[in-house]
Amino acid sequence: MFRLRSIIKGNYLEYIRSYSFLITIAVSLYVAFSFLPAPEANYSTIRFGNYTGVYNASWIGFVTAVMSSVFLSLFGFFLINGSVKKDIDTRIGHIIGSSRISNAVYLLSKLASSFLILFTILIFILIVSVILFFLYGKEHSFQLYDFVIPYLIIVVPSLFFVASFSLLLEVFLTKKVLIQYVLFLSTFFFVLFSSTTKENNFVTDVFGIQYPAKVVEQQIQEMHQKENTKLSIGFISGGRDMDKIVTIESISFSTKYLLARLFWVIIAIVLVYILSFFFHRFNIKEGQNQQQNSLERPLKKTAKFQLRNLAQTVEISAKLSPLIYAEVMMLLRKNTKWILVLTFCGMITMIFVPISISHRYILPLLWFLQISAWSDLASKDETYRTHYFVASSYQPLQRLFIARLVAGILLALFVAGPLLIRYMFSLDIMSLINIIFGALFIVMLAVFFDVLTKSKKFFEILFFFLIYSNMNLVPFADYFGAIHSTTGYTVSMLVLILILFSSSYILKRKSYE
Amino acid sequence: MQLDIKNITKKYGSNKFGLRDYSINISTGILGLLGPNGAGKSTLIKIISTINKPTDGEIFLNDKNIIKRPNHIRKILGYLPQDFGVYPNLNAYEFLTYIAAMKGVGGKGLRSKIEQLLEGVNLIEVAKNHLNTYSGGMIQRIGIAQALLNNPKILIFDEPTVGLDPEERLRFRDLLSELANDRIIILSSHIVSDIETIADKVAIMKKGSLIVKETQNNIIKLVEGKVFETVVSKDNIPNFKACNNVVSSYRIQNNFRVRYITERPNKNEQAVEATLEDAYIYLVKN
C-alpha cells in the first residue's frame, strides 16, 4: 500500500510541478468561467428547450458539474494520455519493467495519479463555480451542498472512467498516439450523443448527465407543461433574449443513480486490472527490432579514429536551404506511411470534388493529419536531446528557428497545393491569400504553444478542438477562410500571425539566453 | 590562440553557486578537467560553449568577448556534450549535413569531409541507415564526428569515451593528441586515466572553484612521498577507511591491499610512486 501511494504521489507531483500544468490550470479557469454565461453574454451552455435556470446555487452547481463532466472528460483525456508513453520515452520503463512492481499495481497507480490530476483541475473549477455564484447569484442563499454533491456524484466517476479508458488505449496502442486520439473522440461523441438522446439509459450514461437532466426537466415540466424542454449541451450561440428563466431547486440523487455512478468507478478499476494481463511491461516489439537491427549490423571493425586531412577546411556558409531541406525531411518522415498515403489521397480528392468541399472539409482534415509533424516543431530538441547542439550552433535563432518555421509552412502549403492551384486558375485571390494565411497561422500556433509550454500536448489538444469546430463550420475557428472572405478577416488573420510570430521569436530568444 | 575566463560566477537561485569567481587561462593543447560531481565542470563547459550565460564575469577568445558575441566562438567550436541525442529519422549522412548547416559550414568540400569523418569513426557502411537503429556506441561516434565537422579550433569533449570499447578509447586518445597541435582541447572526464595519458595541463575543480591548474608533473609533485600501500585485514577496513584518505583498495584473499595518502605514515612503510589519481583524491578530499 505504501509502495502504491509513493508511486501515485511521484506521478502526480511530476505532472503538477510541470510548467504546462500551470498553463492548463489557467486555461481551465478561463473555460470554467465560460461554463456559466455572464448575464449579458449571448450564448448558453445548458438549456432545456428555451428554458434556463435562475442563477441560484442549484442551477450553477448543476450546470458547472454537467459541463465539467463532459468537457473535463474531453480535455482531460488529452492531458493524462501518454503517462505510460512518458515512461517509455524517459526509459524509466526499463527500470520499472525490471522491478518487483506488478502490472496491476503499476497500472492502478497510473489510474489513480491520472484521476488525481483531473480531480485537482476539478477543484479549481468548483472554486470558480462558487465565485460565479457570488458574482451572478448573490441574492440567493448559498448552499455548499448544491456545489459539492453534483461534482462528486456526476463528475468524479466520469474522470475515473476517462483515466482508465486512456490506459486501455495506451496499453493496446502504445505508440499509435493519433489512433488513440481518434478512437477516444469517436467513443466520446458516441457516448455523449447516446446519453443525450436515449432515455432511461443510466448504465451506459458514462458522463452521468441523464438523471440530473431529467430531474431538472421534470421541475420545468411541472411549471410549464407540454412545452419543449429538450436538453442541449455545449456552447450554443445566440438566442439568449428568447430564454425563459425558471427557478431550479436542489437535485436529490436516487439510489439507482448513485449505484450507476459507482458502477462506472468499479468498471474503471476492473478494466485496469484486466489490462494488467495484457500490459507489455515495456517489452515493446519495436524496441526489440531496433536492438536486433543494431546487433545484426555488419560492424565487425571498431572505429579507428584515423582521420585523413584533418585540417581540410570547409567553406563558411550561412545558407538556410540545407537546414530547411533537413527539416522538411524530418517532418515528412515523422508521419507514418498510412498518414502519408491518406494525405496524398486527400490531395488528389481536392482536385475533383467541389471547391467549397475541398476548402471547408478536406483541407482542414489534411492539415490535421500533420498534427504530429507540427506539434513539436520548436521543442523537438528537448525530446531528442539535441538541444546542446542547437544552443551552441551558429545563430540558432535567426537560422534554425526560421528554417523550422519555413519547413512547417512549406508542408502546409504543399498539402494545400491542389486547392491553391484551383483558386489560382479561378483567380480567386482572396481565398488563395486566406489559405496561405491559414498555413502560416496553424504553423505559428503550433510553434507558439510549443515554445510557451515546452510541450507539444497543448497544441495537439487545441488542434483537436479546432478540427472539431471546423467540421461544424464554427465561424470563430475558421482560420483558413472557409467561411469568411472579407478583407477585415484577412487583415485580422495577418495581425494574429504577426503577433504569434513575434511572441514565439521573443520567447525562443529568451530560452536561448 | 588564447581563451581567457575571467571571474566567472554562475548562480542558481539566491545562494546556490555552479561556479564561483572562476578564472582560468587556456591556451593551445589539451586541458584535462577533473572534479567530483557538482564541482561545476559541466557548468563551465556549457558557458564556454555558449549554451549558458554566466551570472557574472567575462570570457575572451583572442581578446574578443564571447559572452557578448557568442557567434565568434560558435564558428570555430566543436562540442561533444555528455548527454546528447540525435534526430532519429535522419541517417548519419543527413544528420552530419544538418549539423554542418547549423554550424554555418557548407560548400563543395562538405560531402568529402563528412565521408572522411564517417570512415574515421567506422560508420560509413551504415551511413544510410536511420539513426534510430544505431547502438549507444555508434551514436557516441556520430557525436565525435559532428564535433569535428567544421575543422574547429576549440574542441570541448564532455565524457567522450563513454560507449567506446577499450581499443577505440586508445585510438581516440591518439586522435586527440594529434588534434591538439594547433587547437585548444578541453577534455572533461571522470576517468582520470583518460586525462592522465594525454592532457598537457590539468585543472582540478571543487565546489565551483578552481583548486589547481598545472602540468601533470607539478600536480603529482604535491603528493610525492605521501602515497603508501599497506595490507589491512577485512575486519579493520571500515575503520581504516574512516581514518585515512584512501585512494583505492582491492581484495587479496581475506585482506585488502589499500593505497592511501597520509602525511604521517607508519615508520616501516615505504612511499610508492604517486600518480595523477592520487593527487586528484588528495586535492579533492582536502
Side-chain angles (χ1 to χ4, degrees):
Chain A
M1 198 60 197
F2 169 75
R3 206 164 42 145
L4 183 65
R5 204 175 59 213
S6 305
I7 300 166
I8 294 167
K9 191 178 164 190
N11 285 334
Y12 176 71
L13 290 178
E14 161 70 19
Y15 190 87
I16 63 158
R17 284 176 183 166
S18 67
Y19 179 61
S20 56
F21 186 71
L22 269 181
I23 293 173
T24 305
I25 289 294
V27 173
S28 303
L29 291 178
Y30 174 76
V31 173
F33 270 103
S34 69
F35 283 170
L36 195 75
E40 67 280 6
N42 193 23
Y43 75 95
S44 53
T45 49
I46 290 186
R47 59 204 289 171
F48 293 85
N50 281 335
Y51 291 97
T52 58
V54 69
Y55 282 2
N56 59 11
S58 312
W59 177 254
I60 295 176
F62 163 74
V63 167
T64 54
V66 168
M67 290 296 282
S68 302
S69 186
V70 174
F71 284 94
L72 189 54
S73 298
L74 181 58
F75 254 122
F77 171 83
F78 297 104
L79 292 175
I80 56 171
N81 182 254
S83 59
V84 176
K85 190 176 175 290
K86 194 173 182 187
D87 286 341
I88 297 170
D89 293 343
T90 55
R91 298 171 200 177
I92 285 172
H94 291 145
I95 299 169
I96 294 165
S98 62
S99 71
R100 284 175 59 210
I101 189 171
S102 68
N103 288 354
V105 170
Y106 173 74
L107 289 177
L108 283 170
S109 73
K110 287 283 172 197
L111 172 71
S113 49
S114 297
F115 168 74
L116 281 176
I117 290 162
L118 296 180
F119 190 69
T120 307
I121 298 171
L122 186 66
I123 290 171
F124 279 95
I125 295 175
L126 174 66
I127 294 167
V128 168
S129 71
V130 173
I131 294 170
L132 285 171
F133 171 82
F134 287 107
L135 276 177
Y136 305 142
K138 52 185 171 233
E139 65 270 24
H140 303 281
S141 65
F142 176 70
Q143 302 282 345
L144 190 62
Y145 166 93
D146 286 332
F147 288 94
V148 176
I149 297 300
Y151 275 79
L152 285 179
I153 296 172
I154 300 172
V155 194
V156 166
S158 312
L159 302 186
F160 242 103
F161 185 75
V162 166
S164 77
F165 192 73
S166 166
L167 282 173
L168 169 80
L169 295 175
E170 278 210 75
V171 167
F172 287 112
L173 298 160
T174 306
K175 289 198 166 179
K176 297 182 173 73
V177 179
L178 198 62
I179 301 176
Q180 288 183 41
Y181 287 3
V182 170
L183 277 176
F184 170 74
L185 283 176
S186 318
T187 313
F188 175 85
F189 286 110
F190 172 76
V191 169
L192 185 64
F193 181 74
S194 59
S195 61
T196 49
T197 51
K198 290 177 188 166
E199 285 194 8
N200 297 323
N201 198 12
F202 292 157
V203 177
T204 55
D205 180 22
V206 182
F207 303 119
I209 302 168
Q210 275 200 354
Y211 176 80
K214 199 172 178 188
V215 171
V216 173
E217 196 178 344
Q218 276 169 356
Q219 287 188 26
I220 299 169
Q221 283 284 353
E222 278 167 20
M223 292 178 267
H224 306 276
Q225 287 169 5
K226 292 179 184 172
E227 291 268 354
N228 172 26
T229 52
K230 193 172 176 284
L231 170 68
S232 307
I233 298 178
F235 290 90
I236 308 148
S237 177
R240 290 270 332 251
D241 46 341
M242 311 271 283
D243 276 353
K244 296 169 187 168
I245 312 292
V246 287
T247 304
I248 302 299
E249 304 298 332
S250 293
I251 300 167
S252 57
F253 297 97
S254 70
T255 313
K256 190 181 166 191
Y257 177 74
L258 292 176
L259 286 174
R261 299 311 288 150
L262 185 65
F263 168 78
W264 283 109
V265 176
I266 295 167
I267 283 284
I269 295 167
V270 171
L271 179 66
V272 168
Y273 184 73
I274 295 168
L275 277 180
S276 67
F277 295 103
F278 302 95
F279 181 51
H280 47 66
R281 210 175 166 82
F282 305 101
N283 178 20
I284 302 159
K285 270 184 189 168
E286 199 181 333
Q288 283 172 345
N289 289 344
Q290 274 183 18
Q291 211 161 7
Q292 276 166 8
N293 284 344
S294 59
L295 290 173
E296 284 162 11
R297 203 140 292 114
L299 279 177
K300 284 161 195 159
K301 287 184 286 176
T302 52
K304 288 191 177 123
F305 292 115
Q306 284 171 353
L307 304 173
R308 288 179 286 119
N309 299 325
L310 260 178
Q312 182 198 335
T313 49
V314 276
E315 288 170 34
I316 298 293
S317 163
K319 272 186 194 169
L320 278 184
S321 52
L323 288 173
I324 295 171
Y325 171 78
E327 288 294 343
V328 170
M329 281 295 127
M330 281 193 266
L331 290 180
L332 290 175
R333 287 177 190 166
K334 214 174 165 216
N335 281 332
T336 54
K337 274 179 192 152
W338 67 267
I339 286 188
L340 290 176
V341 170
L342 272 177
T343 306
F344 185 70
C345 294
M347 287 169 70
I348 302 282
T349 313
M350 276 205 292
I351 301 170
F352 300 106
V353 299
I355 202 160
S356 62
I357 303 282
S358 290
H359 194 160
R360 287 182 173 183
Y361 299 104
I362 301 177
L363 178 67
L365 279 173
L366 291 186
W367 276 350
F368 179 69
L369 284 178
Q370 317 309 317
I371 185 170
S372 65
W374 287 327
S375 60
D376 66 351
L377 203 55
S379 71
K380 64 180 163 201
D381 296 310
E382 274 75 30
T383 313
Y384 299 133
R385 294 180 296 126
T386 48
H387 48 291
Y388 291 144
F389 294 141
V390 172
S392 61
S393 67
Y394 179 61
Q395 296 181 326
L397 190 67
Q398 297 91 327
R399 299 173 69 244
L400 190 64
F401 181 67
I402 299 296
R404 286 180 174 168
L405 282 178
V406 172
I409 293 163
L410 282 179
L411 178 66
L413 292 177
F414 174 72
V415 169
L419 189 59
L420 290 173
I421 292 168
R422 284 180 77 176
Y423 276 128
M424 228 183 282
F425 278 113
S426 61
L427 295 175
D428 187 346
I429 303 300
M430 199 50 118
S431 297
L432 198 76
I433 292 170
N434 284 342
I435 292 174
I436 293 170
F437 280 7
L440 289 167
F441 173 81
I442 199 69
V443 175
M444 295 297 172
L445 193 71
V447 169
F448 173 73
F449 281 111
D450 206 12
V451 176
L452 181 71
T453 63
K454 296 183 176 74
S455 158
K456 59 184 183 176
K457 214 148 203 183
F458 201 88
F459 170 72
E460 286 179 348
I461 296 171
L462 195 65
F463 207 177
F464 267 95
F465 281 93
L466 271 180
I467 190 71
Y468 169 73
S469 309
N470 295 150
M471 291 301 105
N472 290 296
L473 299 178
V474 175
F476 182 73
D478 175 31
Y479 63 93
F480 49 95
I483 304 165
H484 301 90
S485 55
T486 59
T487 314
Y489 163 81
T490 309
V491 171
S492 57
M493 281 307 294
L494 179 65
V495 171
L496 210 52
I497 290 163
L498 290 174
I499 290 171
L500 284 173
F501 173 73
S502 36
S503 314
S504 309
Y505 192 87
I506 291 164
L507 286 170
K508 197 70 192 170
R509 190 174 62 189
K510 270 193 118 183
S511 80
Y512 284 135
E513 284 167 1
Chain B
M1 187 168 304
Q2 195 79 13
L3 192 64
D4 291 321
I5 296 169
K6 288 185 177 170
N7 310 101
I8 289 287
T9 294
K10 180 72 185 176
K11 221 172 161 186
Y12 300 106
S14 57
N15 54 2
K16 200 183 165 197
F17 287 87
L19 287 173
R20 199 190 282 256
D21 201 21
Y22 189 100
S23 296
I24 193 169
N25 187 286
I26 306 170
S27 49
T28 309
I30 301 176
L31 175 76
L33 212 52
L34 283 174
N37 287 334
K41 300 189 300 290
S42 291
T43 308
L44 177 66
I45 280 178
K46 281 179 196 163
I47 289 173
I48 299 173
S49 51
T50 71
I51 290 166
N52 279 357
K53 280 197 172 172
T55 316
D56 206 1
E58 287 168 327
I59 301 180
F60 293 93
L61 174 66
N62 297 336
D63 299 326
K64 284 189 179 151
N65 190 333
I66 63 160
I67 304 292
K68 285 182 184 156
R69 295 171 60 196
N71 285 321
H72 183 67
I73 191 171
R74 283 171 180 168
K75 279 191 240 172
I76 54 163
L77 177 72
Y79 172 46
L80 177 72
Q82 184 181 359
D83 178 35
F84 70 94
V86 290
Y87 299 114
N89 296 321
L90 295 183
N91 65 37
Y93 187 82
E94 289 165 339
F95 180 72
L96 291 180
T97 311
Y98 182 75
I99 296 280
M102 271 205 240
K103 288 173 181 245
V105 292
K108 285 174 190 166
L110 181 64
R111 196 180 176 89
S112 69
K113 179 89 183 178
I114 290 174
E115 279 167 6
Q116 268 178 43
L117 286 167
L118 287 172
E119 244 173 67
V121 297
N122 194 30
L123 291 174
I124 195 82
E125 288 171 40
V126 289
K128 297 223 165 137
N129 292 20
H130 283 195
L131 295 175
N132 60 3
T133 61
Y134 280 31
S135 67
M138 291 157 84
I139 297 286
Q140 187 70 7
R141 285 189 252 160
I142 278 288
I144 292 168
Q146 68 76 31
L148 300 169
L149 261 173
N150 51 334
N151 190 25
K153 295 290 169 210
I154 297 173
L155 270 162
I156 300 174
F157 291 107
D158 200 354
E159 303 287 350
T161 54
V162 174
L164 301 183
D165 68 27
E167 233 181 313
E168 286 173 335
R169 253 186 158 123
L170 294 174
R171 289 179 197 145
F172 179 69
R173 286 181 200 166
D174 292 343
L175 171 69
L176 286 190
S177 304
E178 204 181 322
L179 288 168
N181 290 332
D182 56 348
R183 292 173 174 83
I184 288 175
I185 299 182
I186 300 169
L187 176 65
S188 166
S189 179
H190 282 100
I191 304 164
V192 180
S193 63
D194 271 357
I195 285 175
E196 198 168 33
T197 44
I198 52 169
D200 299 306
K201 286 198 173 165
V202 176
I204 297 177
M205 295 173 67
K206 187 182 169 184
K207 290 182 184 168
S209 300
L210 178 69
I211 304 177
V212 67
K213 185 208 146 198
E214 263 301 345
T215 60
Q216 289 194 49
N217 285 341
N218 286 345
I219 291 177
I220 291 169
K221 270 183 195 162
L222 296 171
V223 281
E224 264 176 11
K226 293 174 186 164
V227 185
F228 297 87
E229 281 191 1
T230 187
V231 175
V232 180
S233 70
K234 194 174 119 186
D235 296 338
N236 286 336
I237 263 287
N239 191 32
F240 189 88
K241 280 188 174 174
C243 301
N244 292 282
N245 197 350
V246 173
V247 179
S248 63
S249 64
Y250 59 93
R251 202 173 166 144
I252 316 167
Q253 292 170 339
N254 278 333
N255 297 320
F256 278 84
R257 184 152 197 91
V258 184
R259 187 180 177 95
Y260 69 107
I261 302 165
T262 182
E263 297 191 16
R264 281 165 290 160
N266 292 331
K267 280 179 186 170
N268 52 350
E269 281 177 354
Q270 282 289 307
V272 294
E273 195 180 340
T275 64
L276 182 63
E277 189 168 15
D278 299 324
Y280 167 69
I281 299 286
Y282 174 75
L283 288 167
V284 166
K285 286 199 178 172
N286 287 304

